[in-house]
Amino acid sequence: MSLLSVSDLRGGYGPVRVLHGLGFEVNAGEIVVILGANGSGKTSTIRAISGMLQATGSVRLHDEEILGKNPEAIARRRVAHVPQGRGTFPELTVEENLRVGAFSRKDSAVDEDIDRWLTTFPRLRERRTQLAGSMSGGEQQMLAISRALMMNPVLLLLDEPSLGLAPLVTQELFQKLAQLNRETYIAMLIVEQNANLALKTATRGYVLEAGEIVATGTSEELASNDEVRKAYLGMA
Amino acid sequence: MTLFLQQLMNGIGNGVIYASVALALVLIYRTTGVLNFAQGEMALFSTYITWKLTDWGVGIVAAIFISMLIAFAMGALVELVLIRPVEKKPPFVVLIVTIGMFLALNSITQLVFGTDEKQLPSAFGDHSWSVGDVRITGEFVGLICVLALTCTLLWILLQKTKLGLGLRAVASNPESARLVGISSGTMLMIGWAISASLGALGGAMYVPTTPALTAGSLQAVLVYAFAAAALGGFDSPVGAVVGGLIVGVAEALAIEYIEPLHDITLLVPFLLIGVVLLYRPTGLFGRNIVERV
Ligand SMILES: Nc1ncnc2c1ncn2[C@@H]1O[C@H](COP(=O)(O)OP(=O)(O)OP(=O)(O)O)[C@@H](O)[C@H]1O
Ligand SMILES: [Mg+2]
């Protein structure tokens, strides 16, 4: 049984349909990547999973239908969505951002976890009392991811985590994600433009084109697929 | 000098009231992004409830507490029934709803409570002490204590409690707040509820300093409170308090010392807003975060 199972997902904005019945799966402990050009529907897909976009079809988490539930309810099932771009609370400090991540948690390990993520991302520890809005784009992205991890997620949805990051920082970030996945077994669904790095980190992947899945396979298979190489890896 | 000190105290006394209504405005603006034009009339309705309770023989302090509780519930209800349905509409739609509420509440108040003048007793009695030539009233001391207490409680609520963190998170980034499981609807409701309570408190403080309680009692206060909030920065509770005090003091001194302003004191807040906004568009304490992406 897979952790997340999406099928026949359709949705859009008003009369404009952008998702045309797509389906895919994420198994427990897996990192899955979705590749796709600008406007192919990657963000829309992730937003449909976390309840931010109205859609039809089916999204099952642990065999429970979550499509149609509101984002708060889905978040309480520990699906953590790091939105594309601005995922932080700019008027709150770094530490408060992390505390907000633990808002729905009832356990007492919150302080421990804050310390844990501040150790994973030392840059954040230095800026613990700084307002999130005054940090660099890269720092904010790390904060947004840490904030999502504070939810103790079973599934982490990452929408273009590399957006606006320097290549070196991106590389470091993906290393940390891979390490995290090995250590904690948190499943991840990553949407990325940086196909090269994403395929190195992920176990499997899907290629999205105009709201439909057009290719799928293990990362190696996709990396050696001619179409994918041409379109997303910049190789002939 | 004595006259000056006396006017200064009058000004601070009024300023405290402007500050508490401005706080209510800021609270709603921060959590909902709405300028609530009905704030004054919501407070008016609550003040009439306070009056009705005293009319029935309830003590004034108890009456204020009870009407604050009723206002809390009414504020939540207003958010749920009137604001939520238009929440996703453009801001001007919400603005029009609050202006509609302003008019409706004023008429409802007159319908329910009648149009004759009422007398609301002061919560602070009429003690006063003489210090040299200056007379310090119990009202003045009481107003300052109430404002200090209100600010402290609000600060603790917003900065030190989980509920406060949730309120600030929704104000800062509603979408991400939902994505961590915070129910933005509930938070907005609580924001309106607290704000309505503050208004009830402000109204009950203000009316006893005026000749009588009438349907027009709080309209000028709303204007002064807007001035206070604009002056301090619409997103800053500290700004609301400082702005309220500045407006109150400026008003009192202008009445005393600037002959032509005697009859048009409402001009004072506008002049102040004009000057401040010219030099600091975000208000004295408003935040202007430079967002880097
Ligand atoms: N709020 C919106 N209103 C109307 N149309 C939208 C909205 N958001 C996205 N779209 C449209 O939906 C389609 C898919 O957008 P989506 O954001 O899902 O793409 P994406 O794959 O994430 O792109 P990118 O790589 O640029 O982030 C696009 O054609 C876009 O114009
Ligand atoms: Mg996108």
Side-chain angles (χ1 to χ4, degrees):
Chain A
M1 183 192 92
S2 46
L3 173 68
L4 180 82
S5 161
V6 175
S7 60
D8 197 33
L9 189 67
R10 293 166 194 276
Y13 304 86
V16 187
R17 308 283 85 197
V18 296
L19 304 177
H20 302 289
L22 51 91
F24 58 90
E25 296 191 338
V26 180
N27 296 311
E30 251 189 335
I31 298 184
V32 172
V33 64
I34 297 183
L35 301 175
N38 290 126
S40 57
K42 305 183 297 295
T43 297
S44 305
T45 303
I46 288 211
R47 285 173 64 87
I49 296 173
S50 62
M52 300 294 295
L53 175 73
Q54 296 231 331
T56 61
S58 165
V59 177
R60 302 181 82 81
L61 179 76
H62 293 306
D63 244 5
E64 180 199 11
E65 184 63 55
I66 58 169
L67 194 73
K69 295 199 186 303
N70 63 32
E72 296 94 306
I74 294 171
R76 283 185 213 116
R77 284 168 174 73
R78 294 165 51 204
V79 174
H81 175 170
V82 181
Q84 183 169 353
R86 250 181 38 121
T88 58
F89 300 90
E91 285 88 1
L92 271 50
T93 66
V94 167
E95 182 172 338
E96 285 171 340
N97 266 269
L98 296 178
R99 270 188 206 287
V100 170
F103 200 85
S104 311
R105 281 172 59 176
K106 305 259 178 314
D107 60 281
S108 55
V110 172
D111 287 321
E112 247 166 78
D113 276 358
I114 288 181
D115 197 59
R116 176 176 177 199
W117 304 125
L118 290 179
T119 306
T120 310
F121 298 99
R123 301 276 293 233
L124 298 182
R125 190 185 290 281
E126 290 163 28
R127 290 159 202 285
R128 194 172 182 147
T129 56
Q130 190 176 326
L131 293 184
S134 65
M135 301 205 303
S136 80
E139 290 160 349
Q140 290 202 39
Q141 188 63 271
M142 288 176 204
L143 180 58
I145 292 171
S146 310
R147 188 216 74 213
L149 289 168
M150 283 301 295
M151 293 168 71
N152 251 346
V154 291
L155 174 65
L156 189 58
L157 308 172
L158 293 160
D159 195 346
E160 299 203 28
S162 74
L163 193 80
L165 302 193
L168 218 60
V169 182
T170 309
Q171 207 165 5
E172 193 192 339
L173 180 66
F174 273 89
Q175 269 163 15
K176 286 199 163 136
L177 289 175
Q179 189 190 350
L180 208 68
N181 170 261
R182 276 196 304 276
E183 287 169 2
T184 63
Y185 221 55
I186 298 173
M188 302 181 189
L189 178 64
I190 307 179
V191 154
E192 252 306 328
Q193 303 267 358
N194 191 330
N196 210 345
L197 251 168
L199 284 175
K200 274 190 196 132
T201 314
T203 9
R204 293 187 301 117
Y206 296 87
V207 178
L208 190 60
E209 238 175 66
E212 281 175 287
I213 301 285
V214 293
T216 175
T218 64
S219 298
E220 293 79 31
E221 284 165 1
L222 286 178
S224 57
N225 175 314
D226 280 345
E227 297 285 315
V228 174
R229 287 165 69 92
K230 236 189 280 172
Y232 303 104
L233 296 173
M235 294 174 227
Chain B
M1 192 59 198
T2 308
L3 189 66
F4 173 78
L5 285 177
Q6 205 69 59
Q7 283 303 335
L8 191 66
M9 277 202 302
N10 286 348
I12 293 175
N14 278 340
V16 165
I17 291 152
Y18 305 154
S20 66
V21 179
L23 261 178
L25 285 173
V26 164
L27 207 65
I28 289 189
Y29 183 76
R30 284 252 308 215
T31 37
T32 3
V34 176
L35 285 179
N36 181 15
F37 277 91
Q39 190 72 58
E41 303 313 287
M42 284 167 66
L44 180 76
F45 192 79
S46 304
T47 309
Y48 269 95
I49 292 179
T50 312
W51 166 79
K52 191 76 209 168
L53 288 165
T54 60
D55 197 43
W56 283 338
V58 180
I60 177 67
V61 176
I64 293 176
F65 273 110
I66 298 172
S67 76
M68 282 176 74
L69 283 179
I70 297 175
F72 190 90
M74 281 189 343
L77 199 69
V78 162
E79 195 282 330
L80 190 67
V81 176
L82 295 173
I83 303 298
R84 195 165 303 183
V86 292
E87 195 189 4
K88 298 223 165 58
K89 301 263 162 39
F92 77 87
V93 178
V94 187
L95 199 71
I96 288 169
V97 169
T98 72
I99 292 174
M101 274 162 54
F102 171 97
L103 297 172
L105 268 171
N106 195 282
S107 315
I108 291 172
T109 306
Q110 298 188 44
L111 263 173
V112 174
F113 297 101
T115 48
D116 53 323
E117 294 189 346
K118 324 270 193 237
Q119 292 302 323
L120 185 68
S122 163
F124 311 111
D126 48 13
H127 313 282
S128 67
W129 304 273
S130 289
V131 179
D133 290 339
V134 182
R135 210 163 46 84
I136 299 176
T137 62
E139 185 120 55
F140 175 75
V141 177
L143 283 174
I144 300 231
C145 291
V146 167
L147 180 69
L149 189 69
T150 311
C151 291
T152 313
L153 289 179
L154 260 188
W155 184 83
I156 291 174
L157 172 74
L158 288 174
Q159 299 295 325
K160 297 289 164 197
T161 69
K162 193 168 171 182
L163 175 64
L165 186 65
L167 283 166
R168 289 188 294 139
V170 169
S172 176
N173 186 342
E175 181 159 297
S176 283
R178 301 188 77 189
L179 290 176
V180 294
I182 301 176
S183 161
S184 62
T186 310
M187 292 298 147
L188 297 187
M189 235 167 84
I190 293 172
W192 276 80
I194 296 174
S195 166
S197 272
L198 278 177
L201 180 64
M205 303 281 112
Y206 175 68
V207 169
T209 69
T210 65
L213 171 60
T214 69
S217 276
L218 290 177
Q219 281 168 3
V221 173
L222 183 70
V223 175
Y224 285 111
F226 261 105
L231 206 60
F234 268 104
D235 56 354
S236 161
V238 179
V241 173
V242 176
L245 293 175
I246 294 177
V247 170
V249 169
E251 179 202 14
L253 296 183
I255 295 177
E256 189 56 44
Y257 295 108
I258 308 175
E259 193 77 31
L261 284 181
H262 276 197
D263 301 317
I264 40 167
T265 50
L266 265 180
L267 208 59
V268 174
F270 291 112
L271 286 175
L272 275 173
I273 300 179
V275 172
V276 170
L277 296 193
L278 210 57
Y279 293 98
R280 262 192 79 91
T282 53
L284 294 172
F285 293 85
R287 280 231 194 88
N288 197 0
I289 286 191
V290 185
E291 265 160 33
R292 287 187 272 172
V293 176

